[in-house]
């Protein structure tokens, strides 16, 4: 009983009735073979889609295209009651199509046969006239309707060649829309109606059950949007591997929301620190930048290359997670964190600060273009607020992606070694922080800017560090770095020692410096901050 077919609407058992039907022969003029050839020449995403639809095409029977229902797209054919022959012709089909275009498809059911048969059409078997014809009351299979949608959308239109760049639907459509569209197009046009086909899995609940309106865990889409925002829901779709069935829960949406806010905070930081920057001054010159700016450009180049390839391969989850890593691990945790002192405390016209702004502008510009299809509202809002080049499009959606110059991809092995050293320094500082808030013991360190770092290096290692103490202090976000030559136990040839600085703290930059109070005009500030403030007062 469980295996007997039932109506999916009423859940009542079906009654089988044998009647004459209309078919498309898949062997006629080698249609099956030609369809298999078209499958081979199509790009299937994921790749296993080719084997799935190919296997179906190899074994499928002839296509029954007729249905016995009360209304639909008519099969434009007649039966001759004089001889029982069938009257099927292109002339009849076009004549009825013209009538349907003018009056709607009901004309087939409303008008008499004489009005539906064009002049000169007779029975091909006995030459009987239309007065002996009876209309075929069957309608076309609805899958035939969708299977020829390419003809309505893509054919005979200016600039279109009748072939879609992409068909996108669930994996069940290998048997449905993709399948019927292929047969109809190959039979009529000699090729597939699509260049690429992308299929996805389905949304399920946390127990793996189908997520549908009849599911007890179903939550209306609008309610999700009201609660989390359309941006979060779209980000969730982009974050999952759509090739498989995907679990949707409130907890997962919250996780994606947290990830989104971190990306958004990176965009906000970049946007906020581009105030006063003119992007029309010229192209970024890596040779004139500091090592950390060049490192940021190399990471931007790698991120842009990875996401561009992912977009082209429809790997949307790769784009989202690469963006998350780029913003969190490389920008926020390293580059932008190090840049804060430069951006907040150096003079606005300082060359290193302006150079960093130029790099941040390139990062923001490409970040918005890359993420726009997913973070649509966020990207457009930021694009509207950011400084733009002359001639830029009003909307980021209309902005073409700009490949990064080859020279940006350069990696600096010496700087990468300094970054590895930075991680060790941060570990040493963290080990010397107070265990409990407000309970600080002598020698413990609060903020990293209070730290005095001593690097004891072998002769070989010190050659790469001597003379770069200021850059290292900036990279480590500490007050001072001293490099001394000596015996080092660490395999890198560099030992790290951290102590609390005995120097006074500058209230403007929060760094502990020996030169605090060196300027009579502003004795509370360090030398750099005093110079900046004096210059501001003078202007």
């Amino acid at each position: 009983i469980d295996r007997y077919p039932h109506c999916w609407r009423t859940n009542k058992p079906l009654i089988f009735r044998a009647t004459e039907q209309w078919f498309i022969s898949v062997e006629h003029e080698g249609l099956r073979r030609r369809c298999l050839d078209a499958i081979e020449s199509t790009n299937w995403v994921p790749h296993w889609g080719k084997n799935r639809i190919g296997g179906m095409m190899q074994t499928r029977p002839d296509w029954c295209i007729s249905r016995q229902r009360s209304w639909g797209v008519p099969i434009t054919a007649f039966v001759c009651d004089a001889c029982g022959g069938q009257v099927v012709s292109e002339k009849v089909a076009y004549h009825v199509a013209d009538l349907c275009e003018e009056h709607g498809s009901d004309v087939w059911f409303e008008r008499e046969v004489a009005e539906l048969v064009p002049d000169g059409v007779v029975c091909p078997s006995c030459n009987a006239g239309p007065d002996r014809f009876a209309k075929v009351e069957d309608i076309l299979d609805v899958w035939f309707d969708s299977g020829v949608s390419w003809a309505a959308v893509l054919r005979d239109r200016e600039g279109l060649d009748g072939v879609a760049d992409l068909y996108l639907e669930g994996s069940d459509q290998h048997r449905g829309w993709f399948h019927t569209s292929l047969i109809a197009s190959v039979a009529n046009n000699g090729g597939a109606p699509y260049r690429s086909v992308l299929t996805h899995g389905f949304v399920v609940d946390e127990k793996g059950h189908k997520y549908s309106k009849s599911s007890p865990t179903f939550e209306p889409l609008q309610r999700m949007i009201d609660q989390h925002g359309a941006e979060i829901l779209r980000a969730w779709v982009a974050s999952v591997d759509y090739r498989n069935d995907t679990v949707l829960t409130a907890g997962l949406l919250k996780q994606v929301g947290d990830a989104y806010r971190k990306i958004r905070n990176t965009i906000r930081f970049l946007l906020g620190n581009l105030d006063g920057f003119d992007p029309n001054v010229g192209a970024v010159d890596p040779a004139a930048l500091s090592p950390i700016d060049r490192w940021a450009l190399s990471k931007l180049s790698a991120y842009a290359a990875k996401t561009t390839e992912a977009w082209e391969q429809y790997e949307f989850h790769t784009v989202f997670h690469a963006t998350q890593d780029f913003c969190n691990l490389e920008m926020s945790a390293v580059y932008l964190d190090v840049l804060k002192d430069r951006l907040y405390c150096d003079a606005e016209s300082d060359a290193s600060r302006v150079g960093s702004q130029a790099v941040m502008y390139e990062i923001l510009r490409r970040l918005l273009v890359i993420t726009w299809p997913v973070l649509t509202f966020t990207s457009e809002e930021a694009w509207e607020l950011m400084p733009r080049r002359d001639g830029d499009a009003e909307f980021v959606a209309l902005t073409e992606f700009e490949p990064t110059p080859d020279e940006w991809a350069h990696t600096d092995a010496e700087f990468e070694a300094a970054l590895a050293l930075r991680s060790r320094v941060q570990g040493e500082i963290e080990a010397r922080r107070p265990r409990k808030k407000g309970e600080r013991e002598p020698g413990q360190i609060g903020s990293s800017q209070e730290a005095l770092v001593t690097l004891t290096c072998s002769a070989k290692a010190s050659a790469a560090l001597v003379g770069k103490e200021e850059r290292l202090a900036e990279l480590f976000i500490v007050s001072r770095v001293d490099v001394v030559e000596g015996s080092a136990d660490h395999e890198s040839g560099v030992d790290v020692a951290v102590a609390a600085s005995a120097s006074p703290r500058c209230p403007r930059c929060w760094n502990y410096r020996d030169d605090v109070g060196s300027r009579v005009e502003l004795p509370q500030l360090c030398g750099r901050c005093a110079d900046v403030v004096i210059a501001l007062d003078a202007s």
Side-chain angles (χ1 to χ4, degrees):
I1 268 184
D2 290 341
R3 294 190 177 184
Y4 190 86
H6 284 61
C7 172
W8 66 276
R9 288 185 180 274
T10 64
N11 288 325
K12 293 182 179 180
L14 300 178
I15 298 175
F16 289 98
R17 181 166 60 93
T19 59
E20 290 186 342
Q21 304 292 333
W22 294 79
F23 290 85
I24 293 177
S25 171
V26 291
E27 301 299 346
H28 181 67
E29 296 182 351
L31 180 57
R32 187 195 306 273
R33 175 188 53 77
R34 291 189 290 144
C35 285
L36 290 170
D37 291 342
I39 289 171
E40 286 293 328
S41 62
T42 300
N43 176 39
W44 297 90
V45 182
H47 62 85
W48 51 257
K50 179 173 70 173
N51 294 333
R52 179 177 169 86
I53 192 172
M56 293 175 179
M57 184 58 65
Q58 284 177 336
T59 59
R60 71 154 295 131
D62 293 338
W63 180 10
C64 177
I65 61 169
S66 54
R67 296 292 185 272
Q68 290 71 54
R69 294 181 179 175
S70 58
W71 185 88
V73 176
I75 294 178
T76 55
F78 303 93
V79 176
C80 176
D81 60 14
C83 67
Q86 297 168 343
V87 182
V88 182
S89 74
E90 185 176 329
K91 187 175 182 180
V92 170
Y94 275 108
H95 177 69
V96 176
D98 290 340
L99 291 175
C100 289
E101 186 174 2
E102 184 177 356
H103 304 289
S105 60
D106 280 349
V107 295
W108 181 261
F109 307 100
E110 295 171 348
R111 299 195 178 190
E112 299 299 325
V113 171
E115 299 177 83
L116 300 173
V117 180
D119 295 339
V121 173
V122 296
C123 175
S125 300
C126 67
N127 287 326
D131 58 317
R132 304 300 302 271
F133 293 175
K135 289 183 288 186
V136 170
E137 297 294 337
D138 293 349
I139 66 168
L140 282 167
D141 175 14
V142 293
W143 285 107
F144 190 91
D145 296 355
S146 61
V148 296
S149 57
W150 50 264
V153 177
L154 302 171
R155 195 167 66 178
D156 302 327
R157 299 220 176 173
E158 185 178 353
L160 299 177
D161 60 1
V163 181
D165 287 331
L166 179 71
Y167 267 41
L168 186 154
E169 253 293 354
S171 55
D172 57 332
Q173 296 306 317
H174 287 116
R175 187 181 298 278
W177 185 41
F178 305 148
H179 200 106
T180 57
S181 297
L182 179 69
I183 294 174
S185 180
V186 170
N188 283 272
N189 298 336
Y194 34 64
R195 295 182 180 88
S196 295
V197 176
L198 185 149
T199 55
H200 55 78
F202 297 91
V203 178
V204 297
D205 62 22
E206 52 193 343
K207 294 183 179 180
H209 299 150
K210 181 181 178 183
Y211 194 82
S212 63
K213 291 181 179 178
S214 60
S215 171
T217 59
F218 176 77
E219 186 174 357
L221 179 64
Q222 189 58 54
R223 188 184 303 166
M224 292 185 188
I225 293 175
D226 292 341
Q227 182 177 358
H228 301 281
E231 200 88 319
I232 303 301
L233 199 60
R234 190 165 46 248
W236 169 77
V237 173
S239 70
V240 298
D241 188 348
Y242 60 82
R243 294 168 293 194
N244 306 306
D245 289 348
T246 302
V247 176
L248 174 60
T249 65
L252 289 174
L253 285 179
K254 183 181 182 302
Q255 290 178 20
V256 172
D258 293 341
Y260 158 76
R261 278 180 281 277
K262 291 179 180 179
I263 296 172
R264 186 174 184 269
N265 285 341
T266 300
I267 293 174
R268 287 180 61 191
F269 185 92
L270 292 166
L271 191 61
N273 283 280
L274 288 175
D275 182 48
F277 177 73
D278 182 4
N280 296 296
V281 294
V284 170
D285 179 13
L289 298 174
S290 65
I292 193 167
D293 289 322
R294 291 196 296 271
W295 176 84
L297 284 180
S298 72
K299 294 303 177 183
L300 173 62
S301 179
Y303 164 70
K306 183 175 184 178
T307 52
T308 300
E309 181 181 2
W311 278 129
E312 291 172 349
Q313 299 298 323
Y314 306 106
E315 299 280 351
F316 311 126
H317 61 290
T318 298
V319 175
F320 183 83
H321 293 294
T323 300
Q324 188 178 355
D325 290 346
F326 176 70
C327 290
N328 295 343
L329 304 180
E330 295 170 343
M331 293 297 102
S332 295
V334 181
Y335 181 59
L336 301 180
D337 196 29
V338 171
L339 241 57
K340 288 176 182 176
D341 181 75
R342 185 183 301 181
L343 294 171
Y344 298 165
C345 302
D346 283 355
E348 288 188 5
S349 59
D350 184 86
S352 63
R353 185 179 187 276
V354 174
S356 294
Q357 282 186 307
V359 173
M360 288 194 300
Y361 176 80
E362 296 295 344
I363 293 170
L364 178 60
R365 183 183 182 87
R366 284 166 170 78
L367 185 59
L368 298 184
V369 174
I370 290 169
T371 60
W372 172 81
V374 177
L375 308 182
T376 307
F377 300 149
T378 304
S379 297
E380 285 293 0
E381 182 181 3
W383 183 264
E384 180 182 350
L385 296 173
M386 71 180 289
R388 297 202 297 269
R389 293 173 182 150
D390 295 339
D392 272 349
E394 182 179 359
F395 304 105
V396 67
L398 303 179
T399 304
E400 293 187 7
F401 178 73
E402 303 168 274
T404 56
D406 292 341
E407 58 268 23
W408 289 11
H410 173 73
T411 56
D412 186 340
E414 191 174 284
F415 185 78
E416 293 289 347
L419 277 179
L421 196 55
R422 179 180 189 263
S423 297
R424 292 175 57 199
V425 169
Q426 289 176 327
E428 291 293 328
I429 292 174
E430 191 62 33
R432 284 163 176 73
R433 292 190 190 279
R435 298 293 182 185
K436 294 182 180 180
K437 188 176 181 179
E439 297 183 8
R440 182 169 172 174
E441 299 176 2
Q444 290 186 323
I445 298 171
S447 70
S448 66
Q449 290 162 302
E450 188 180 351
L452 167 63
V453 177
T454 302
L455 303 178
T456 303
C457 314
S458 64
K460 181 179 179 181
S462 66
L465 300 175
V466 171
K468 299 174 182 173
E469 289 85 354
E470 286 191 16
R471 290 294 190 194
L472 291 172
E474 180 187 46
L475 180 62
F476 300 163
I477 314 179
V478 298
S479 287
R480 198 177 83 204
V481 171
D482 291 333
V483 178
V484 297
E485 189 173 325
S487 177
D489 296 326
H490 195 270
E491 60 183 7
S492 66
V494 181
D495 285 345
V496 176
V498 173
S501 175
S503 301
R505 190 184 81 159
C506 173
R508 182 174 182 270
C509 67
W510 291 11
N511 286 312
Y512 292 73
R513 298 184 182 274
D514 293 337
D515 63 348
V516 172
S518 61
R519 299 295 298 271
V520 177
E521 305 94 319
L522 294 167
Q524 71 275 30
L525 300 182
C526 67
R528 177 193 57 169
C529 288
D531 289 340
V532 173
V533 172
I534 291 170
L536 282 173
D537 290 342
S539 63

